[in-house]
Amino acid sequence: MESKVINLNPQIYPLDVIYAAAYVLLDRSYIFIDGNPNKVVKITLTPKEKKDDADNLAQEFNNLLITYAFYNKQSKKNSALRQIMMQAALLSAEKTAEGAEDADKAAPKNIELPEDIKDANFLEDPEGIAVPWEIKYKKSFLGKKLQKETGQTKTKNKKLRKKP
Amino acid sequence: MQNNTALKINFNKKFYKLPSIKNAIRDFQNVCKGSVKELERYFLVTLAPKSKSPQDNLGHEFSNYVLALMKNEVLV
């Protein structure tokens, strides 16, 4: 397999940027780093598969270097702003947490029920108000069952009804 | 880089970290027996494959794996 050696200036491309670019190409090529981090960094690229050309990979690597160098620069530039935004978000979260704690404190903890409700048994229904589920939804349940048996849908029924 | 049976790879100390190399040796223990020796500028890694079949890419795969581990350690 053909290898390609790229010499990089570490003052232009910091080590973090080189690592990031190398990491992207790890699945397609074998990468070995050597050299002097203060003078020249030597990257050896060897394609894993024959279809990949070492020159093309090197060019791709160079592009990735520029991408990550730009990202690195922007990230450093925006670091102060990012820090402020994070602090603001954390402070607001802290305030909402404090607010929730105050609300908990304000809410009565032990609510005393009236004497007649205390010993009430909700399963009993002396007035006959409660309606069992089966009876309440009996019509719709039977309707669906009928539809299933006859194979007719609601829309079809409506059309049939509209016709004189 | 390559001997008859054992592979020798020099990892530059400025670019590769010893814990990552050690972790990689541990992870490759099913494939090869590895050892690391600290030199002045390099970590000399010796890999002895366990199977007799030729493993051309073992060194390459190992160095790639070390790089990947280093990147993951930065992320964690």
Side-chain angles (χ1 to χ4, degrees):
Chain A
M1 276 181 290
E2 194 189 341
S3 297
K4 179 88 180 175
V5 180
I6 307 170
N7 293 321
L8 297 172
N9 186 344
Q11 285 167 348
I12 298 171
Y13 300 115
L15 267 183
D16 289 340
V17 170
I18 295 171
Y19 284 131
Y23 189 71
V24 176
L25 288 183
L26 275 184
D27 60 332
R28 286 169 55 203
S29 62
Y30 298 115
I31 298 172
F32 193 76
I33 307 173
D34 204 354
N36 186 338
N38 299 319
K39 290 178 183 174
V40 179
V41 181
K42 289 179 180 178
I43 311 288
T44 310
L45 284 168
T46 312
K48 280 187 181 181
E49 294 191 16
K50 285 178 184 176
K51 66 177 182 182
D52 282 326
D53 184 36
D55 287 330
N56 285 343
L57 274 175
Q59 284 169 353
E60 207 171 318
F61 187 79
N62 285 335
N63 279 358
L64 284 169
L65 283 172
I66 292 169
T67 306
Y68 282 105
F70 178 72
Y71 176 80
N72 198 28
K73 199 178 175 184
Q74 290 295 321
S75 176
K76 279 178 185 169
K77 201 176 163 183
N78 298 331
S79 65
L81 184 65
R82 209 168 46 240
Q83 202 173 345
I84 291 166
M85 285 170 75
M86 281 297 291
Q87 279 174 351
L90 287 171
L91 275 173
S92 65
E94 204 173 302
K95 276 179 189 172
T96 50
E98 278 174 12
E101 275 177 16
D102 291 343
D104 282 346
K105 280 175 191 172
K109 284 180 183 174
N110 297 320
I111 303 166
E112 285 195 11
L113 294 168
E115 286 297 321
D116 55 332
I117 297 177
K118 257 185 183 178
D119 302 323
N121 183 1
F122 294 102
L123 291 173
E124 286 176 8
D125 185 25
E127 304 291 330
I129 300 165
V131 183
W133 183 88
E134 291 88 349
I135 295 166
K136 196 177 180 181
Y137 296 99
K138 194 179 178 181
K139 281 183 183 176
S140 60
F141 176 74
L142 283 175
K144 279 179 186 174
K145 203 178 175 183
L146 196 68
Q147 274 177 18
K148 271 187 185 177
E149 283 172 4
T150 54
Q152 286 180 332
T153 56
K154 275 185 180 179
T155 49
K156 278 183 182 175
N157 286 337
K158 278 178 187 175
K159 278 179 187 175
L160 286 169
R161 276 178 216 151
K162 277 177 189 176
K163 283 179 184 175
Chain B
M1 190 172 168
Q2 200 163 355
N3 199 351
N4 277 339
T5 51
L7 273 168
K8 287 188 177 178
I9 312 168
N10 282 312
F11 287 102
N12 195 320
K13 277 184 177 179
K14 302 274 184 187
F15 301 107
Y16 294 90
K17 290 169 188 169
L18 187 60
S20 301
I21 294 172
K22 283 183 176 173
N23 283 339
I25 289 172
R26 194 195 59 209
D27 292 343
F28 271 63
Q29 65 187 357
N30 289 335
V31 185
C32 60
K33 195 181 175 185
S35 63
V36 60
K37 192 179 172 186
E38 198 169 341
L39 304 177
E40 192 185 346
R41 284 177 56 208
Y42 292 94
F43 295 116
L44 176 63
V45 173
T46 311
L47 300 172
K50 286 189 174 175
S51 66
K52 286 179 182 176
S53 58
Q55 293 178 340
D56 299 334
N57 292 325
L58 180 63
H60 285 130
E61 290 288 355
F62 185 84
S63 54
N64 260 19
Y65 192 74
V66 174
L67 266 184
L69 283 183
M70 280 170 55
K71 177 75 179 172
N72 288 344
E73 276 167 15
V74 169
L75 287 173
V76 172

